[in-house]
Amino acid sequence: MTAGPLSVVVEPPVIAAVAAGAAAATPGVMRLEPGIRGLVSTVLRAGRRRWKGIDPAPAEGVRVRRGETGLLVQVDIAIAAGRPAVEVGHAVQEEVARVVWEQTGQRVAEVWVTILDIEPEVR
């Protein structure tokens, strides 16, 4: 008996949770912003999982799709005032791509970052 190559498929909600953790941990990011579309999908997904008795992983503000060349990840964030938006956005892109690759083995082709709010840091 010969064993064929194994393939592991990591579903988009898992990748979104990994990406959310990476984005939220990036310096200058205050929080993830789900937006209206994100709120609706989060409520529906959380409802389905809770109905099944599964605690949903937090992934608000992150959407994942599979593209021809890899994953397409969209991240909506609020950043700290006084931080250069371009630098924070670029750092989020790099961190999300790195952490998703390290934790899931899935290649990220693109990370789109949308800054929806800028707020003062709490001191």
Side-chain angles (χ1 to χ4, degrees):
M1 182 163 128
T2 55
L6 295 175
S7 74
V8 175
V9 177
V10 181
E11 291 296 319
V14 174
I15 295 166
V18 170
T26 303
V29 174
M30 299 296 286
R31 67 178 180 281
L32 297 176
E33 284 283 335
I36 298 298
R37 182 177 58 190
L39 283 172
V40 171
S41 66
T42 297
V43 168
L44 292 174
R45 185 175 65 246
R48 279 194 309 265
R49 289 180 180 232
R50 286 202 175 103
W51 182 67
K52 293 179 181 179
I54 303 169
D55 286 332
E60 293 82 11
V62 179
R63 291 166 307 287
V64 176
R65 292 183 298 127
R66 294 192 188 280
E68 292 180 16
T69 59
L71 298 171
L72 308 174
V73 181
Q74 295 175 277
V75 182
D76 299 334
I77 60 173
I79 67 169
R83 297 285 185 119
V86 171
E87 289 178 17
V88 174
H90 187 68
V92 169
Q93 288 175 316
E94 289 180 346
E95 191 67 4
V96 166
R98 183 185 67 78
V99 172
V100 167
W101 171 253
E102 287 177 357
Q103 293 188 10
T104 69
Q106 304 291 304
R107 181 171 135 23
V108 177
E110 296 180 33
V111 179
W112 299 315
V113 177
T114 305
I115 298 172
L116 297 176
D117 196 10
I118 299 174
E119 62 183 47
E121 290 186 75
V122 178
R123 294 180 191 239

